[in-house]
Amino acid sequence: MMSSAEGAQFAGAMTLLRDCVGGEPGQSLLVVSEPEGSGFYDDDAPKVTAAAGRFIGMRVYQTQSECFLATAEDRTLLLDLLRGFDHIVFFSRVGDQIRFTADKDMPSSTMCYTLDLESLNSAFGTACYHGMCAVKEVIENAFFASNHIRVSCPRGTDYEGSPQWPRGNTGEVRIKRFPMLVPRPVPAAGFRGRVALDRFLVGTGSRFYQPYHLPIRETVYAHIADNRIVDFTGPDAEVQRVWQHYKHVSQLYEIDPMYVHSWHAGIHPGCHFQNRAEADILRWSGTAFGNPRILHFHTCGNYAPGEISWNILDATIRLDDVPIWDKGVLKPERLPGIEPVLENHPHLLELYRHPHREVGMESLEEA
């Protein structure tokens, strides 16, 4: 029997292990964390998750990884380490770096975006995982069925088109996300327009380089046609800094700097980030994108997720002229087929009606 104190401490970990991971008594679980004091994850969330796994009768093992995979050899060594377990849970950024792995022998694996125990036990970590997956599916079906999609934002984004969904390729990652943060990305092919780049450019978590983010002092506009950035416009000095950043990152990895792969917006109303993004840009970029106020693009490299992301605040996304995201607020009730999901998960409907708004970025009204 779990005490009330254990119930409160294990609330998010139980949602993670039972609903997302699918852990059962007798199964083996490896919890991968970063070195203590690394500053990205706290030290308590992985420890509590391991304790919760033991409580439900799993055979729990714990290990520490490096924060980043620097070489192909590091990646191979990590994948070898993971073999033989029933389930892997990552409280480590290396899970993000292998999320597109093609290794068919990869055990059931989950990447956690709850960076500390507070986040794990908040509405972000305890919201029904199955319900969020059902919301994600309805959103994806609405995107698939749409003939025309338009994205706009208060800073001047005006981007529209009809997505060209690839055949036989879902664009999904092999590693599960916890919590469920985003739908599958929308291909940039079939779209054109301009996207307002404001505040900063930042990496995608695919690889880590210096400088990992570029502050933007005045708005720069990226002009896009299908999968290509055709121009940057705005104040000359800012445009040159953006060009140089793209040149620098693309030369590091010998990739196409002007490629725009895809985009998607957050869907989890419990996702939050209290501090200013620039004060902790690595942690911000590792979790805040799940909030519906943020839409991000994958650019620089003809693969997901690319190496440079654009983060658009308070976007409106219209599917066949219906604003499903309305100035950064996701309106699930406007989605075809959502009624049974919300009836089965009324707590999610309440969370969507009262979403977290703290995402570490200011709107024009808040500035």
Side-chain angles (χ1 to χ4, degrees):
M1 176 71 71
M2 186 183 298
S3 69
S4 59
E6 287 174 324
Q9 186 181 39
F10 287 171
M14 288 301 183
T15 303
L16 163 63
L17 294 177
R18 287 178 170 166
D19 296 344
C20 179
V21 172
E24 297 180 358
Q27 291 183 330
S28 59
L29 169 69
L30 176 64
V31 178
V32 182
S33 59
E34 295 188 359
E36 291 194 6
S38 65
F40 192 83
Y41 288 92
D42 78 348
D43 300 331
D44 293 330
K47 291 178 180 177
V48 167
T49 298
R54 295 186 183 98
F55 182 85
I56 63 176
M58 301 184 78
R59 293 181 290 113
V60 179
Y61 304 84
Q62 294 172 259
T63 191
Q64 291 184 349
S65 71
E66 297 297 329
C67 298
F68 314 118
L69 299 173
T71 66
E73 182 181 6
D74 290 343
R75 180 188 181 94
T76 299
L77 289 172
L78 176 65
L79 291 172
D80 287 343
L81 172 70
L82 304 180
R83 301 184 198 284
F85 293 94
D86 293 314
H87 302 284
I88 315 291
V89 169
F90 289 99
F91 288 93
S92 171
R93 283 165 281 183
V94 297
D96 244 352
Q97 289 187 272
I98 63 171
R99 67 189 185 276
F100 290 97
T101 181
D103 189 340
K104 295 181 180 179
D105 294 328
M106 182 83 173
S108 162
S109 300
T110 302
M111 175 66 191
C112 291
Y113 295 94
T114 49
L115 303 187
D116 52 39
L117 190 57
E118 179 277 328
S119 179
L120 182 62
N121 287 332
S122 73
F124 184 37
T126 60
C128 177
Y129 180 79
H130 297 305
M132 287 303 306
C133 288
V135 170
K136 171 182 179 285
E137 183 177 0
V138 171
I139 289 172
E140 290 175 349
N141 289 338
F143 272 102
F144 295 153
S146 296
N147 294 313
H148 184 265
I149 299 172
R150 184 183 178 193
V151 178
S152 59
C153 83
R155 298 284 183 180
T157 295
D158 191 1
Y159 178 73
E160 60 185 322
S162 301
Q164 299 175 10
W165 298 98
R167 294 182 179 179
N169 180 6
T170 66
E172 287 284 75
V173 297
R174 288 183 62 86
I175 296 179
K176 289 182 284 189
R177 295 184 176 99
F178 178 84
M180 181 53 68
L181 296 169
V182 288
R184 67 186 64 187
V186 181
F191 285 81
R192 61 180 55 241
R194 72 176 191 177
V195 175
L197 310 183
D198 190 52
R199 295 283 289 269
F200 49 77
L201 305 177
V202 68
T204 64
S206 171
R207 288 181 275 205
F208 292 88
Y209 49 83
Q210 294 295 333
Y212 193 65
H213 93 289
L214 178 77
I216 296 179
R217 304 181 188 96
E218 297 180 77
T219 303
V220 170
Y221 294 97
H223 299 265
I224 311 163
D226 290 310
N227 293 105
R228 307 298 302 172
I229 301 168
V230 296
D231 200 9
F232 290 115
T233 62
D236 289 345
E238 292 303 290
V239 168
Q240 284 303 311
R241 292 174 64 247
V242 169
W243 278 118
Q244 288 301 316
H245 187 65
Y246 268 81
K247 180 180 179 181
H248 167 67
V249 175
S250 64
Q251 288 179 345
L252 283 176
Y253 305 114
E254 299 181 343
I255 55 179
D256 183 350
M258 297 295 101
Y259 201 89
V260 180
H261 186 275
S262 53
W263 57 273
H264 48 185
I267 65 172
H268 200 307
C271 182
H272 58 282
F273 195 86
Q274 301 289 353
N275 298 329
R276 287 185 72 249
E278 291 89 341
D280 202 347
I281 196 69
L282 281 174
R283 297 185 86 240
W284 180 89
S285 66
T287 190
F289 64 90
N291 188 288
R293 293 189 70 188
I294 298 175
L295 177 154
H296 71 273
F297 280 77
H298 308 135
T299 80
C300 194
N302 61 348
Y303 52 88
E307 300 300 337
I308 299 175
S309 69
W310 303 336
N311 293 274
I312 315 305
L313 185 67
D314 291 342
T316 294
I317 306 175
R318 295 178 177 271
L319 306 185
D320 293 330
D321 211 34
V322 178
I324 304 300
W325 279 256
D326 195 345
K327 298 179 181 177
V329 178
L330 177 55
K331 303 286 189 177
E333 66 275 11
R334 297 176 181 174
L335 289 160
I338 195 66
E339 292 84 1
V341 174
L342 297 181
E343 288 175 3
N344 289 333
H345 303 281
H347 55 290
L348 286 184
L349 176 59
E350 187 65 18
L351 190 55
Y352 276 110
R353 287 174 173 167
H354 302 283
H356 283 265
R357 300 288 290 170
E358 303 86 359
V359 294
M361 298 173 74
E362 295 175 335
S363 67
L364 283 172
E365 293 77 14
E366 295 165 333

